[in-house]
Amino acid sequence: MKRILIFAAVAVMAVVVCTSCGTSKNASSDYKPKAGSPFGEVYEAPCTEHDTDDYFAATGIASGSKNRMDVLQTSALTNAQNIVRQKMKHAYKGAIDDYSNYIGNNAGSDAEAKVERAGTQIIDAVINNTKATCGPKFSAVDEKGDVTCFVGIRISNKEIVDKIIDHVSKDEELKIRFNEQEFRKKMDANFEKFKENK
C-alpha cells in the first residue's frame, strides 16, 4: 500500500511541476522548492496537508479553464475527499480483519460484514461533509487560459472511530461480542499503517 501511496504522491508532484512549468513568471509564490529530491527540482503544492497522529489528510488538485474556477474548487475538494476515503477504508478493513481474528471465528461473518458495512457508510458520510481546511488556492493563468486549483482537507480519526463505536454499541446483535477498547486499539494500529508520511 505504501508503494501505491508513494506512486500517487509522485504523480501529484509531477502534475504540480508540469503546471508550474507552464505558468508565467507571475506564478503563485505558494510553490516552494523542495531540496534534495531524487526527482530533481520539485515543488510542494499550496494547501499541502499531511497525515498526523490525529488526522488523515490530503490535497486535492484540479486543472481547467479560468472561467470555471467554481467547478475546479468542487473538483479539487472531491479529489481530496477521495484520497482520504481510500486511505480510511483500507485502514478500516484492516482493523475489522484484525478485530475479527482477535474475537475468534465464532463471531460470525454476518456480524463482521454488518460492522464493515456500517463503518464504510459512516466514513462516507463524514468525508462527504468535509470542508476545506486550506484553500481553494489557484495557480496563475497559463498561456492556454487554464489554472490549477488546490484544496486541503483533514479528517479526524477519533470522530470516525467514535461514530462507528456509537453505532455498533446500539446494535443488539453486534454489541454482544463487542469489545470497545480492543476495537479502538485495532483501529488506531491500522490507521497508523496507512498514514502516508510515516
Side-chain angles (χ1 to χ4, degrees):
M1 183 62 194
K2 285 197 174 187
R3 286 184 180 169
I4 292 171
L5 292 176
I6 290 169
F7 177 77
V10 170
V12 168
M13 285 186 234
V15 169
V16 173
V17 170
C18 290
T19 303
S20 63
C21 291
T23 57
S24 68
K25 288 186 178 179
N26 296 329
S28 171
S29 61
D30 287 330
Y31 292 109
K32 295 179 178 48
K34 300 286 275 183
S37 168
F39 306 105
E41 187 175 30
V42 294
Y43 293 82
E44 184 171 282
C47 290
T48 298
E49 293 278 7
H50 298 287
D51 296 335
T52 69
D53 290 341
D54 300 318
Y55 294 93
F56 273 115
T59 300
I61 302 172
S63 297
S65 170
K66 67 177 181 182
N67 299 319
R68 297 311 313 263
M69 291 169 82
D70 55 336
V71 174
L72 293 178
Q73 292 179 49
T74 303
S75 296
L77 176 61
T78 301
N79 177 239
Q81 289 171 332
N82 286 336
I83 291 168
V84 172
R85 179 179 284 111
Q86 182 181 27
K87 289 189 283 188
M88 286 194 128
K89 283 187 176 179
H90 283 340
Y92 183 65
K93 174 69 172 123
I96 292 296
D97 290 346
D98 289 353
Y99 182 72
S100 295
N101 290 336
Y102 167 77
I103 61 175
N105 294 330
N106 60 344
S109 59
D110 288 346
E112 182 180 338
K114 193 171 183 181
V115 171
E116 186 174 340
R117 188 169 48 252
T120 298
Q121 290 170 350
I122 289 165
I123 288 169
D124 282 337
V126 170
I127 290 174
N128 290 341
N129 288 322
T130 301
K131 306 289 187 271
T133 55
C134 176
K137 291 190 177 184
F138 293 90
S139 69
V141 180
D142 68 16
E143 67 278 357
K144 296 177 184 175
D146 290 342
V147 295
T148 299
C149 178
F150 303 89
V151 173
I153 65 168
R154 293 185 307 161
I155 298 177
S156 167
N157 299 343
K158 185 178 184 309
E159 178 185 0
I160 296 286
V161 174
D162 286 348
K163 287 187 176 189
I164 292 170
I165 287 173
D166 183 59
H167 175 82
V168 171
S169 64
K170 290 177 180 174
D171 187 299
E172 291 298 324
E173 177 191 350
L174 297 178
K175 74 180 182 181
I176 294 169
R177 293 185 53 81
F178 185 65
N179 179 327
E180 179 180 335
Q181 184 177 2
E182 193 61 33
F183 185 78
R184 280 187 188 276
K185 192 187 301 180
K186 301 300 182 193
M187 287 288 289
D188 289 344
N190 277 276
F191 278 5
E192 190 67 25
K193 285 181 198 173
F194 284 85
K195 286 178 183 159
E196 65 192 10
N197 58 333
K198 292 293 182 188

